[in-house]
Amino acid sequence: MHLQAVADLPEIRPGDDLAALIAERTALEDGDVVTIASTVVSKAEDRQADLADFPAGPRAREIAGRLEALSDEEKDPRFAQAVLEESTELVTDAPFLLTETRFGHVCVNAGIDRSNVPDHDLLLLPKRPTESAERIRAGLLEESNIEPGNGEGEGLAVVVTDTCGRPFRFGQRGVALGWAGIPASRDWRGETDRDGREMGVTVQSVIDELSSAANLVTGEGDDGTPAVVVRDWEFGDHAGSDNLFRDLDGDFVRQALRDWQYDPEERR
């Protein structure tokens, strides 16, 4: 497998054609997977905002006040309001805001970014990242004259990525938010291991793994390389699944968090 960042992409502005900009700078091939950071997708889709766009309501002021008391740091209730408006559920409200976004991703602060946003305060996640991936993929197929699936390979896939922390582990890694042209997971259930035992549990989230690999190439901060081409990787002869986000019925950690309240006294 080979990963190569798409070099020399400009600062992305609202309305920019990401597919055209990427295709101009790299020769795509049948079977490639193009990963694109959600930050540039959001910028192209004009998902930039200012704190003034989110007048704080009572709930936001309450949340900001509590977080300020816990951290001894000033918290802007307008940011809390933005998080609430970008979420369908507030899973925890202390010691940080863990939320479910409107497309099902559970993350801190609804994934709202406050860095690398020229002329604005906030960068919101794409509204529907899978639709974004489908739209960019269609543009890349047209720009690169690649058939969606021509029998010689697997066509072209697009994955919209972000970085996210992990329970029980320190640090962040790349994750997928939206995808097109590829199943989200490889389902190994029903296949056998080297000893002939049938596997009954393993479902491999390949779009998360590709996102994490790409993040090693794109980097963080001011690296400015938000798109990566993954080449010579094959999905293989496995069943595929588009399940990425756990249903609440099977998400026992989230169920437990619904009944949990942060108490700083318990840590002492």
Side-chain angles (χ1 to χ4, degrees):
M1 184 173 76
H2 177 77
L3 294 95
Q4 179 66 54
V6 178
D8 301 322
L9 282 170
E11 179 67 36
I12 302 301
R13 305 292 182 186
D16 281 350
D17 187 338
L18 286 174
L21 291 170
I22 291 169
E24 287 171 1
R25 290 162 173 79
T26 187
L28 295 173
E29 298 179 4
D30 184 43
D32 285 348
V33 179
V34 181
T35 70
I36 307 173
S38 62
T39 51
V40 295
V41 176
S42 291
K43 289 178 180 180
E45 296 178 355
D46 199 15
R47 292 284 285 159
Q48 300 169 107
D50 293 312
L51 288 168
D53 299 328
F54 298 96
R59 177 67 170 136
R61 291 193 292 271
E62 175 192 343
I63 289 170
R66 185 178 185 198
L67 293 176
E68 189 169 306
L70 289 171
S71 65
D72 291 326
E73 296 178 1
E74 185 176 355
K75 301 294 182 180
D76 194 322
R78 295 173 299 175
F79 182 77
Q81 184 67 40
V83 172
L84 290 173
E85 292 187 23
E86 287 296 303
S87 306
T88 58
E89 180 183 2
L90 188 59
V91 182
T92 67
D93 59 5
F96 53 83
L97 303 183
L98 183 66
T99 72
E100 180 186 6
T101 68
R102 299 191 178 278
F103 56 90
H105 179 48
V106 176
C107 59
V108 175
N109 293 337
I112 298 175
D113 203 343
R114 303 186 74 168
S115 60
N116 294 321
V117 195
D119 306 320
H120 291 278
D121 299 323
L122 310 173
L123 186 65
L124 315 178
L125 289 178
K127 282 187 176 180
R128 290 175 285 275
T130 289
E131 291 183 15
S132 301
E134 290 169 347
R135 186 166 51 251
I136 295 168
R137 178 176 182 260
L140 288 173
L141 288 170
E142 182 177 354
E143 294 281 347
S144 304
N145 295 315
I146 297 174
E147 295 295 328
N150 58 13
E152 298 176 0
E154 299 179 3
L156 182 75
V158 170
V159 180
V160 176
T161 73
D162 196 13
T163 53
C164 189
R166 304 162 294 170
F168 315 117
R169 291 180 180 267
F170 185 77
Q172 297 183 311
R173 50 77 172 96
V175 297
L177 301 184
W179 64 100
I182 184 176
S185 303
R186 287 196 288 209
D187 193 340
W188 295 79
R189 292 173 296 181
E191 300 189 34
T192 56
D193 64 14
R194 289 182 298 178
D195 297 319
R197 298 187 184 92
E198 183 174 310
M199 291 184 284
V201 176
T202 302
V203 178
Q204 182 183 17
S205 181
V206 293
I207 56 172
D208 275 345
E209 293 185 325
L210 290 169
S211 299
S212 190
N215 196 57
L216 293 172
V217 178
T218 59
E220 299 284 355
D222 62 355
D223 288 347
T225 52
V228 171
V229 178
V230 182
R231 184 163 293 164
D232 298 327
W233 177 84
E234 295 183 1
F235 187 88
D237 186 18
H238 305 278
S241 168
D242 273 334
N243 292 327
L244 180 64
F245 307 116
R246 284 188 183 274
D247 292 330
L248 181 59
D249 288 346
D251 192 339
F252 303 118
V253 173
R254 187 164 158 193
Q255 291 177 32
L257 286 173
R258 280 184 161 185
D259 298 326
W260 175 79
Q261 291 292 324
Y262 177 71
D263 184 353
E265 296 298 324
E266 291 182 356
R267 300 178 64 247
R268 298 179 181 175

